[in-house]
Amino acid sequence: MDVDVVVGGGGLVGLPLAIALARGGLSVAIADPAPKTEVLAAAYDGRVSALAYASVRMARALGVWTHLEADAQPIDEILVTDAALDQAPSPFSLHFDHGEIGTVPLGVIAENRHIRQALYRVAEATAGLTIIAPAAVKALASDAQRIKAYLSDGQEISARLAVAADGRESPLRESMGISVVQWSYPQQGIVTTVHHEHPHRGVAYEHFLPSGPFAILPMTGNRSSLVWTERNEVARRMMALDHAGFDAEIARRFGAHLGSTRAEALRWSYPLRFHLARAYVRPRFALAGDAAHGIHPIAGQGLNLGLKDAAALADVILEAAALGLDIGALHVLARYERWRRFDSFTMAASTDALNRLFSNDIAPLRLARGLGLAIVDQIGPLRRFFMRQAGGDLGDLPTLMREDAAG
Ligand SMILES: Cc1cc2nc3c(=O)[nH]c(=O)nc-3n(C[C@H](O)[C@H](O)[C@H](O)COP(=O)(O)OP(=O)(O)OC[C@H]3O[C@@H](n4cnc5c(N)ncnc54)[C@H](O)[C@@H]3O)c2cc1C
């Protein structure tokens, strides 16, 4: 098969990138070893994503939002508190209200399986886009004009550019000899869905417990998704508990504000790691999403960063194609690297610092961070800056994330 771009990885970043490029008039093939039925099953991925409003604009511009909107819960407010287990939250808290920066919500919470479903529906109906699954990209080989992807099902795809959106382990990044700066956090992210008695009113809670952040993210209905960062040994014990025991541990941490709680039977735990690729591009090759960076989920920004990669890369490639330039040339791809690397580094470093600052029970630090939260809470411009930052609305925005993107 001969195409303009081959994408390795049909996840939450690879699919929107492929849709954007095909809608821009390029021929695109996307390969993924996971069959569609598997990735859309409830047990595949229990996570939700907090999609910043810039990411929602991108979903709108790509026609994905129509298939997602009914399942997405707007985030109207975010409440951040520093709390010790079994004690009342600190009186110092930080409150973000979307009304302060406009009429649109701060973002939405959507289940990853619903995002995948919506992406698949649009991708399958997009002219010029071929999805090949199940099939892994096993190897890449390039010459001056083309790059060839060898798939596990025996197919060969020749393209002008190959993009690796194959997740944090990224076999393709490795095969191109790009190394990463990385470390593991001594924490895991436990994820489950919790039903509660009272409505959440669109409020997301971030409680900083000594072992790590405990986020309660509003979903449609009287449900919230729990992202509970816990030290490895405790997380292993929690995951091994029977349902009643696990439910009781959740209720203990939830507090009373949502009434009685009941966790669903399925639960997941994700080891947490920081990594940043030392380069994002090579001749005829680019990285996007978790293949390029992996960050702590403390601020719910990993996918938002990946979507910004996809939108920026689409801008760079489509502009080069329109000018008749070689879309795989290093000087074209270097613009993408300059655009995205610093932003990803800044976000990765700040989420790492936040996690270190908050995941402990050291009294002077608790006092300092309580004061920090209270100070930000009192200063309107600072509060609004953080809200825009969380909404992904600062810096050089790619076309698909701009206010007028959806037309
Ligand atoms: C607990 C937790 C909570 C999170 N919460 C949020 C949040 O609220 N908001 C947010 O923005 N982010 C969040 N994130 C981060 C987010 O989930 C990731 O950043 C995002 O899923 C990355 O998408 P991706 O497409 O780059 O990688 P993946 O989703 O890992 O997709 C990679 C794809 O590549 C495929 N693949 C693998 N090998 C090959 C190969 N050789 N050839 C072809 N394909 C291959 C895989 O099958 C897979 O489909 C969270 C992460 C965690 C751990």
Side-chain angles (χ1 to χ4, degrees), residues 7-15 31-34 39 44-45 47-52 55 109 112 116 135-138 151 165-168 170-172 188-191 217 227-228 269-272 288-297 299-307:
V7 180
L12 299 177
V13 171
L15 282 170
D32 197 296
V39 298
Y44 181 74
D45 183 350
R47 287 172 296 180
V48 298
S49 291
L51 293 177
S55 301
I109 300 291
N112 283 6
R116 271 196 195 92
V137 179
K138 298 295 280 180
L151 307 194
D166 52 346
R168 61 185 193 163
S170 186
L172 296 178
Q188 294 187 21
I190 300 175
V191 171
L217 307 173
V227 185
W228 168 10
S269 91
Y270 298 88
L272 303 180
D290 276 17
H293 42 72
I295 67 171
H296 196 285
Q301 288 295 339
L303 175 58
N304 290 305
L305 274 185
L307 291 174

Side-chain angles (χ1 to χ4, degrees), residues 11-12 15-16 19 64 114-124:
L12 299 177
L15 282 170
I19 295 168
V64 174
H114 288 145
I115 304 176
R116 271 196 195 92
Q117 222 154 28
L119 285 168
Y120 255 97
R121 282 182 73 168
V122 175
E124 283 171 343

